[in-house]
Amino acid sequence: MSKRLRSILTPVIAVLLGILVGTIIMVVSGYDPIAAFTALWNGAFGDIYYIGEVVRQFTPYILAGLAVAFAFRVGLFNIGVEGQFLVGWLAAVWVGVAFDLPRVIHLPLAILAAIVAGALWAFIPGLLKARFRVHEVIVTIMMNYVALHLSNYIIRNVISQKGDNTGPIHKSATLRSEWLESLTDYSRLHWGIILAILSCFVMWFLLERTTRGFELRSVGFNQHAAHYAGMNVNKNIILSMLISGAFAGLAGAMEGLGTFEYAAVKGGFSGVGFDGIAVALLGGNTALGVFFSAILFGVLKVGALNMPLEAGVPNELVDIIIALIVFFVASSYIIRVFLDRISKKEVK
Protein backbone atom coordinates (compact mmCIF):
# COMPACT_ATOMS: atom_id res chain seq x y z
CA MET A 1 0.00 0.00 0.00
CA SER A 2 1.42 3.39 -0.99
CA LYS A 3 2.23 5.98 1.64
CA ARG A 4 -0.19 8.44 0.03
CA LEU A 5 -3.10 5.98 0.11
CA ARG A 6 -2.32 5.09 3.70
CA SER A 7 -2.26 8.76 4.72
CA ILE A 8 -5.73 9.19 3.17
CA LEU A 9 -7.22 6.03 4.69
CA THR A 10 -5.93 6.68 8.22
CA PRO A 11 -8.12 9.73 9.02
CA VAL A 12 -11.09 8.16 7.21
CA ILE A 13 -10.83 5.04 9.39
CA ALA A 14 -10.40 7.26 12.47
CA VAL A 15 -13.66 9.06 11.65
CA LEU A 16 -15.51 5.77 11.08
CA LEU A 17 -14.19 4.32 14.34
CA GLY A 18 -15.19 7.48 16.22
CA ILE A 19 -18.72 7.27 14.82
CA LEU A 20 -18.89 3.53 15.58
CA VAL A 21 -17.83 3.92 19.21
CA GLY A 22 -20.12 6.94 19.54
CA THR A 23 -22.98 4.79 18.27
CA ILE A 24 -22.20 2.15 20.90
CA ILE A 25 -22.24 4.83 23.60
CA MET A 26 -25.66 6.02 22.40
CA VAL A 27 -27.05 2.49 22.50
CA VAL A 28 -25.65 1.84 25.99
CA SER A 29 -27.08 5.18 27.15
CA GLY A 30 -30.54 4.26 25.86
CA TYR A 31 -30.66 6.56 22.82
CA ASP A 32 -31.59 5.66 19.27
CA PRO A 33 -28.45 6.19 17.15
CA ILE A 34 -30.34 6.06 13.86
CA ALA A 35 -32.67 8.83 15.00
CA ALA A 36 -29.69 10.77 16.34
CA PHE A 37 -27.68 10.65 13.12
CA THR A 38 -30.78 11.35 11.04
CA ALA A 39 -31.42 14.45 13.15
CA LEU A 40 -27.77 15.47 12.77
CA TRP A 41 -27.99 15.08 8.98
CA ASN A 42 -31.22 17.07 8.82
CA GLY A 43 -29.72 19.76 11.03
CA ALA A 44 -26.78 20.16 8.64
CA PHE A 45 -28.31 19.52 5.20
CA GLY A 46 -32.08 19.46 5.68
CA ASP A 47 -32.52 23.07 4.63
CA ILE A 48 -30.57 25.61 2.58
CA TYR A 49 -30.36 27.77 5.70
CA TYR A 50 -28.58 24.99 7.58
CA ILE A 51 -26.13 24.52 4.70
CA GLY A 52 -25.28 28.21 4.87
CA GLU A 53 -24.71 27.90 8.61
CA VAL A 54 -22.45 24.88 8.09
CA VAL A 55 -20.28 26.85 5.66
CA ARG A 56 -20.26 29.80 8.05
CA GLN A 57 -19.27 27.47 10.91
CA PHE A 58 -16.36 25.77 9.22
CA THR A 59 -14.87 28.98 7.79
CA PRO A 60 -12.97 29.91 11.00
CA TYR A 61 -12.20 26.22 11.56
CA ILE A 62 -10.29 26.15 8.28
CA LEU A 63 -8.11 29.08 9.35
CA ALA A 64 -7.61 27.85 12.92
CA GLY A 65 -6.69 24.44 11.52
CA LEU A 66 -4.21 26.03 9.11
CA ALA A 67 -2.63 27.93 12.01
CA VAL A 68 -2.05 24.73 13.98
CA ALA A 69 -1.08 22.69 10.92
CA PHE A 70 1.45 25.25 9.71
CA ALA A 71 3.18 25.23 13.08
CA PHE A 72 3.17 21.43 13.16
CA ARG A 73 4.72 21.26 9.69
CA VAL A 74 7.66 23.38 10.84
CA GLY A 75 8.21 21.49 14.09
CA LEU A 76 6.27 23.76 16.46
CA PHE A 77 3.14 23.18 18.54
CA ASN A 78 1.13 26.40 18.53
CA ILE A 79 -1.45 25.65 21.20
CA GLY A 80 -2.05 29.39 21.52
CA VAL A 81 -4.26 29.68 18.44
CA GLU A 82 -7.23 30.44 20.71
CA GLY A 83 -5.51 33.52 22.11
CA GLN A 84 -4.34 34.69 18.69
CA PHE A 85 -7.89 34.14 17.43
CA LEU A 86 -9.29 36.36 20.21
CA VAL A 87 -6.87 39.24 19.67
CA GLY A 88 -7.48 39.04 15.92
CA TRP A 89 -11.23 39.24 16.55
CA LEU A 90 -10.77 42.24 18.83
CA ALA A 91 -8.39 44.07 16.47
CA ALA A 92 -10.70 43.62 13.48
CA VAL A 93 -13.73 44.89 15.40
CA TRP A 94 -11.77 47.77 16.91
CA VAL A 95 -10.86 49.03 13.43
CA GLY A 96 -14.41 48.36 12.28
CA VAL A 97 -15.86 50.48 15.10
CA ALA A 98 -13.26 53.24 15.33
CA PHE A 99 -13.18 54.30 11.67
CA ASP A 100 -15.79 55.13 9.06
CA LEU A 101 -14.03 54.78 5.73
CA PRO A 102 -14.93 53.71 2.19
CA ARG A 103 -15.49 49.95 2.06
CA VAL A 104 -12.60 49.37 -0.34
CA ILE A 105 -10.26 50.74 2.37
CA HIS A 106 -12.07 49.91 5.58
CA LEU A 107 -12.63 46.16 5.10
CA PRO A 108 -9.05 45.33 4.01
CA LEU A 109 -7.73 47.50 6.86
CA ALA A 110 -9.83 45.63 9.44
CA ILE A 111 -8.74 42.25 8.04
CA LEU A 112 -5.11 43.38 8.03
CA ALA A 113 -5.44 44.50 11.65
CA ALA A 114 -6.62 41.02 12.63
CA ILE A 115 -3.75 39.36 10.76
CA VAL A 116 -1.16 41.66 12.34
CA ALA A 117 -2.62 41.25 15.84
CA GLY A 118 -2.59 37.45 15.60
CA ALA A 119 0.94 37.46 14.20
CA LEU A 120 2.26 39.78 16.91
CA TRP A 121 0.62 37.69 19.63
CA ALA A 122 2.39 34.63 18.23
CA PHE A 123 5.66 36.57 17.87
CA ILE A 124 6.23 36.56 21.65
CA PRO A 125 6.38 32.76 22.09
CA GLY A 126 8.29 32.54 18.82
CA LEU A 127 10.93 34.97 20.08
CA LEU A 128 11.22 33.20 23.43
CA LYS A 129 11.57 29.86 21.65
CA ALA A 130 14.22 31.16 19.27
CA ARG A 131 16.33 33.16 21.70
CA PHE A 132 15.95 31.33 25.01
CA ARG A 133 14.58 27.90 23.97
CA VAL A 134 11.49 28.39 26.12
CA HIS A 135 8.98 25.72 25.07
CA GLU A 136 6.24 27.26 22.95
CA VAL A 137 3.51 25.08 24.46
CA ILE A 138 3.97 26.58 27.93
CA VAL A 139 4.10 30.17 26.70
CA THR A 140 1.18 29.88 24.29
CA ILE A 141 -1.05 28.24 26.91
CA MET A 142 -0.42 31.13 29.30
CA MET A 143 -0.93 33.70 26.56
CA ASN A 144 -4.37 32.28 25.82
CA TYR A 145 -5.52 33.46 29.24
CA VAL A 146 -3.75 36.79 28.85
CA ALA A 147 -5.54 37.31 25.52
CA LEU A 148 -8.93 36.43 27.02
CA HIS A 149 -8.72 38.76 30.00
CA LEU A 150 -6.90 41.57 28.18
CA SER A 151 -9.54 41.52 25.44
CA ASN A 152 -12.30 41.69 28.04
CA TYR A 153 -10.57 44.62 29.74
CA ILE A 154 -10.15 46.55 26.48
CA ILE A 155 -13.77 45.95 25.49
CA ARG A 156 -15.06 47.15 28.87
CA ASN A 157 -12.75 50.09 29.43
CA VAL A 158 -11.41 51.29 26.09
CA ILE A 159 -13.75 50.52 23.18
CA SER A 160 -17.19 50.05 24.66
CA GLN A 161 -19.45 52.81 25.88
CA LYS A 162 -22.16 50.33 26.84
CA GLY A 163 -20.28 47.92 29.06
CA ASP A 164 -20.14 44.38 27.75
CA ASN A 165 -19.78 44.76 23.97
CA THR A 166 -18.26 47.07 21.42
CA GLY A 167 -21.44 47.75 19.52
CA PRO A 168 -21.76 46.90 15.80
CA ILE A 169 -19.01 47.64 13.33
CA HIS A 170 -19.64 50.04 10.46
CA LYS A 171 -21.18 48.46 7.38
CA SER A 172 -18.10 49.43 5.40
CA ALA A 173 -16.05 46.91 7.42
CA THR A 174 -18.39 43.93 7.30
CA LEU A 175 -17.83 40.64 5.48
CA ARG A 176 -21.56 39.98 5.38
CA SER A 177 -23.20 39.71 1.97
CA GLU A 178 -26.88 40.22 1.25
CA TRP A 179 -26.47 38.11 -1.87
CA LEU A 180 -24.99 35.12 -0.01
CA GLU A 181 -27.58 35.49 2.73
CA SER A 182 -30.43 35.50 0.22
CA LEU A 183 -29.04 32.36 -1.44
CA THR A 184 -29.13 30.52 1.90
CA ASP A 185 -32.46 31.75 3.26
CA TYR A 186 -30.78 34.51 5.30
CA SER A 187 -28.18 32.46 7.10
CA ARG A 188 -25.05 34.18 8.41
CA LEU A 189 -22.91 33.02 5.48
CA HIS A 190 -20.36 35.66 4.51
CA TRP A 191 -17.43 36.29 2.17
CA GLY A 192 -14.95 34.91 4.67
CA ILE A 193 -15.17 31.48 3.05
CA ILE A 194 -13.32 32.90 0.02
CA LEU A 195 -10.50 34.13 2.27
CA ALA A 196 -10.33 30.74 3.99
CA ILE A 197 -10.01 28.89 0.68
CA LEU A 198 -7.34 31.33 -0.51
CA SER A 199 -5.47 30.77 2.77
CA CYS A 200 -5.38 27.03 2.08
CA PHE A 201 -3.71 27.77 -1.25
CA VAL A 202 -1.28 30.21 0.39
CA MET A 203 -0.17 27.61 2.95
CA TRP A 204 0.25 24.90 0.32
CA PHE A 205 2.16 27.17 -2.04
CA LEU A 206 4.40 28.60 0.67
CA LEU A 207 5.40 25.25 2.14
CA GLU A 208 5.58 23.15 -1.02
CA ARG A 209 6.61 25.54 -3.80
CA THR A 210 8.95 28.14 -2.29
CA THR A 211 12.51 28.18 -1.03
CA ARG A 212 11.37 29.81 2.19
CA GLY A 213 8.90 27.00 2.76
CA PHE A 214 11.65 24.44 2.25
CA GLU A 215 13.76 26.23 4.87
CA LEU A 216 10.87 26.32 7.33
CA ARG A 217 10.20 22.61 6.91
CA SER A 218 13.91 21.82 7.16
CA VAL A 219 14.17 23.64 10.48
CA GLY A 220 11.16 21.66 11.68
CA PHE A 221 12.70 18.33 10.67
CA ASN A 222 16.13 18.93 12.16
CA GLN A 223 17.36 22.24 13.52
CA HIS A 224 20.98 21.12 13.76
CA ALA A 225 21.09 19.94 10.15
CA ALA A 226 19.37 23.15 9.01
CA HIS A 227 21.93 25.25 10.91
CA TYR A 228 24.77 23.20 9.40
CA ALA A 229 23.30 23.88 5.95
CA GLY A 230 23.56 27.63 6.59
CA MET A 231 19.93 28.33 7.44
CA ASN A 232 19.03 30.90 10.10
CA VAL A 233 17.20 28.65 12.56
CA ASN A 234 16.09 31.38 14.98
CA LYS A 235 14.76 33.60 12.21
CA ASN A 236 12.77 30.72 10.74
CA ILE A 237 11.27 29.76 14.11
CA ILE A 238 10.03 33.32 14.64
CA LEU A 239 8.74 33.56 11.06
CA SER A 240 6.88 30.27 11.47
CA MET A 241 5.07 31.51 14.56
CA LEU A 242 4.27 34.82 12.86
CA ILE A 243 2.63 33.05 9.91
CA SER A 244 0.76 30.64 12.16
CA GLY A 245 -0.51 33.53 14.28
CA ALA A 246 -1.54 35.42 11.13
CA PHE A 247 -3.84 32.54 10.13
CA ALA A 248 -5.31 32.48 13.64
CA GLY A 249 -5.87 36.24 13.67
CA LEU A 250 -7.62 36.01 10.30
CA ALA A 251 -9.90 33.35 11.80
CA GLY A 252 -10.85 35.91 14.45
CA ALA A 253 -11.74 38.40 11.73
CA MET A 254 -14.22 35.87 10.32
CA GLU A 255 -16.20 36.07 13.54
CA GLY A 256 -15.71 39.76 14.23
CA LEU A 257 -16.42 41.04 10.74
CA GLY A 258 -18.65 38.27 9.43
CA THR A 259 -20.63 36.15 11.86
CA PHE A 260 -21.23 38.57 14.77
CA GLU A 261 -20.03 41.99 13.60
CA TYR A 262 -19.08 42.98 17.14
CA ALA A 263 -16.92 41.81 20.04
CA ALA A 264 -18.29 41.08 23.50
CA VAL A 265 -16.89 40.28 26.91
CA LYS A 266 -16.40 36.52 27.13
CA GLY A 267 -16.77 34.34 30.20
CA GLY A 268 -14.49 31.71 28.66
CA PHE A 269 -12.74 30.61 25.52
CA SER A 270 -14.63 30.34 22.24
CA GLY A 271 -13.17 26.89 21.57
CA VAL A 272 -12.38 27.64 17.92
CA GLY A 273 -8.63 27.70 18.50
CA PHE A 274 -8.67 24.43 20.42
CA ASP A 275 -10.92 22.80 17.81
CA GLY A 276 -8.30 23.90 15.30
CA ILE A 277 -5.89 21.41 16.88
CA ALA A 278 -8.32 18.57 16.20
CA VAL A 279 -8.97 19.86 12.67
CA ALA A 280 -5.23 19.94 11.93
CA LEU A 281 -4.63 16.46 13.35
CA LEU A 282 -7.49 14.93 11.40
CA GLY A 283 -6.37 16.76 8.25
CA GLY A 284 -2.86 15.38 8.50
CA ASN A 285 -1.45 18.90 8.78
CA THR A 286 -1.95 19.52 5.06
CA ALA A 287 -3.91 22.40 3.55
CA LEU A 288 -6.29 20.12 1.64
CA GLY A 289 -6.73 17.82 4.62
CA VAL A 290 -7.52 20.76 6.90
CA PHE A 291 -10.15 21.98 4.44
CA PHE A 292 -12.07 18.69 4.42
CA SER A 293 -11.55 18.14 8.14
CA ALA A 294 -13.01 21.58 8.89
CA ILE A 295 -16.06 20.74 6.77
CA LEU A 296 -16.64 17.61 8.88
CA PHE A 297 -16.36 19.61 12.10
CA GLY A 298 -18.73 22.26 10.78
CA VAL A 299 -21.30 19.60 9.85
CA LEU A 300 -21.03 17.96 13.27
CA LYS A 301 -21.25 21.22 15.20
CA VAL A 302 -24.24 22.64 13.34
CA GLY A 303 -26.06 19.33 12.89
CA ALA A 304 -25.69 18.56 16.59
CA LEU A 305 -27.94 21.49 17.45
CA ASN A 306 -30.86 19.60 15.90
CA MET A 307 -30.30 16.34 17.80
CA PRO A 308 -32.11 17.32 21.03
CA LEU A 309 -35.03 18.71 19.03
CA GLU A 310 -35.69 15.78 16.69
CA ALA A 311 -34.25 12.80 18.55
CA GLY A 312 -34.07 13.85 22.18
CA VAL A 313 -30.34 13.13 22.13
CA PRO A 314 -28.04 15.60 23.93
CA ASN A 315 -25.77 17.39 21.47
CA GLU A 316 -22.84 16.82 23.84
CA LEU A 317 -22.62 13.35 22.31
CA VAL A 318 -21.18 14.99 19.20
CA ASP A 319 -18.36 16.35 21.35
CA ILE A 320 -17.75 12.79 22.53
CA ILE A 321 -17.63 11.59 18.91
CA ILE A 322 -15.18 14.39 18.03
CA ALA A 323 -13.02 13.44 21.01
CA LEU A 324 -13.08 9.80 19.88
CA ILE A 325 -12.08 10.79 16.35
CA VAL A 326 -9.13 12.76 17.74
CA PHE A 327 -8.21 9.78 19.94
CA PHE A 328 -8.13 7.42 16.96
CA VAL A 329 -6.17 9.95 14.90
CA ALA A 330 -3.66 10.21 17.77
CA SER A 331 -3.54 6.39 17.78
CA SER A 332 -2.97 6.34 14.03
CA TYR A 333 0.10 4.14 14.47
CA ILE A 334 -2.25 1.23 15.25
CA ILE A 335 -4.31 1.99 12.15
CA ARG A 336 -1.18 2.15 9.99
CA VAL A 337 0.02 -1.22 11.33
CA PHE A 338 -3.41 -2.68 10.54
CA LEU A 339 -3.32 -1.28 6.98
CA ASP A 340 0.21 -2.58 6.45
CA ARG A 341 -0.79 -6.09 7.50
CA ILE A 342 -3.76 -6.02 5.12
CA SER A 343 -1.55 -4.89 2.23
CA LYS A 344 0.99 -7.65 2.99
CA LYS A 345 -1.75 -10.27 2.95
CA GLU A 346 -2.98 -8.97 -0.41
CA VAL A 347 0.56 -9.24 -1.82
CA LYS A 348 0.82 -12.86 -0.70
Side-chain angles (χ1 to χ4, degrees):
M1 182 179 294
S2 68
K3 184 178 179 181
R4 183 179 182 85
L5 180 58
R6 188 174 62 181
S7 65
I8 294 173
L9 287 177
T10 299
V12 172
I13 293 174
V15 171
L16 293 176
L17 288 173
I19 293 174
L20 176 62
V21 177
T23 300
I24 294 172
I25 293 173
M26 288 186 201
V27 172
V28 172
S29 303
Y31 298 111
D32 183 354
I34 296 177
F37 286 120
T38 300
L40 189 148
W41 178 268
N42 291 336
F45 302 107
D47 188 90
I48 190 66
Y49 171 84
Y50 298 141
I51 295 175
E53 283 296 301
V54 167
V55 177
R56 190 272 311 165
Q57 181 73 44
F58 71 65
T59 296
Y61 282 166
I62 291 174
L63 292 161
L66 291 177
V68 177
F70 189 91
F72 271 138
R73 291 288 300 276
V74 296
L76 299 169
F77 189 6
N78 183 8
I79 204 171
V81 170
E82 178 70 22
Q84 295 146 25
F85 168 84
L86 292 176
V87 297
W89 184 340
L90 177 64
V93 170
W94 199 341
V95 172
V97 170
F99 302 100
D100 189 5
L101 302 169
R103 184 180 178 85
V104 69
I105 298 174
H106 201 183
L107 179 56
L109 184 63
I111 293 172
L112 181 62
I115 292 172
V116 171
L120 290 178
W121 203 255
F123 169 78
I124 298 172
L127 179 64
L128 293 175
K129 171 78 172 183
R131 295 296 299 275
F132 305 107
R133 294 298 181 262
V134 179
H135 204 292
E136 71 275 8
V137 170
I138 304 300
V139 180
T140 50
I141 287 175
M142 292 189 296
M143 291 194 67
N144 283 336
Y145 290 93
V146 176
L148 174 64
H149 296 297
L150 180 62
S151 296
N152 286 346
Y153 175 85
I154 292 175
I155 291 171
R156 282 197 184 102
N157 299 285
V158 179
I159 305 177
S160 175
Q161 304 299 321
K162 300 179 180 178
D164 289 340
N165 69 76
T166 61
I169 61 174
H170 292 289
K171 293 301 180 183
S172 55
T174 183
L175 281 167
R176 297 284 280 272
S177 164
E178 293 183 1
W179 179 67
L180 290 176
E181 291 176 357
S182 65
L183 286 179
T184 55
D185 198 18
Y186 299 98
S187 73
R188 292 176 291 174
L189 179 61
H190 54 78
W191 289 116
I193 183 60
I194 304 299
L195 295 176
I197 293 172
L198 289 175
S199 296
C200 289
F201 175 78
V202 168
M203 174 176 160
W204 168 81
F205 185 80
L206 177 60
L207 287 178
E208 306 296 341
R209 292 292 184 270
T210 66
T211 304
R212 177 61 65 185
F214 175 77
E215 281 195 23
L216 294 174
R217 287 186 288 116
S218 299
V219 170
F221 285 134
N222 191 316
Q223 292 186 11
H224 299 292
H227 179 74
Y228 183 77
M231 300 176 188
N232 190 326
V233 173
N234 290 344
K235 177 182 177 181
N236 281 298
I237 288 174
I238 295 173
L239 180 60
S240 299
M241 287 299 293
L242 282 171
I243 296 172
S244 177
F247 283 130
L250 182 57
M254 300 301 99
E255 302 294 78
L257 304 179
T259 302
F260 298 102
E261 298 184 313
Y262 67 91
V265 171
K266 297 172 181 61
F269 293 121
S270 70
V272 173
F274 298 118
D275 286 338
I277 299 173
V279 169
L281 287 173
L282 182 59
N285 298 320
T286 65
L288 186 61
V290 164
F291 177 77
F292 287 112
S293 176
I295 292 176
L296 174 64
F297 275 68
V299 168
L300 291 174
K301 290 287 187 178
V302 174
L305 300 176
N306 194 46
M307 288 169 60
L309 302 176
E310 281 193 15
V313 178
N315 56 16
E316 286 79 7
L317 277 169
V318 167
D319 292 328
I320 294 175
I321 292 173
I322 290 174
L324 288 167
I325 291 171
V326 174
F327 169 78
F328 286 116
V329 170
S331 307
S332 59
Y333 174 76
I334 300 173
I335 298 175
R336 289 198 298 268
V337 170
F338 174 74
L339 292 174
D340 287 340
R341 287 187 176 181
I342 290 177
S343 61
K344 287 179 181 177
K345 288 181 180 179
E346 290 177 352
V347 171
K348 292 179 180 179

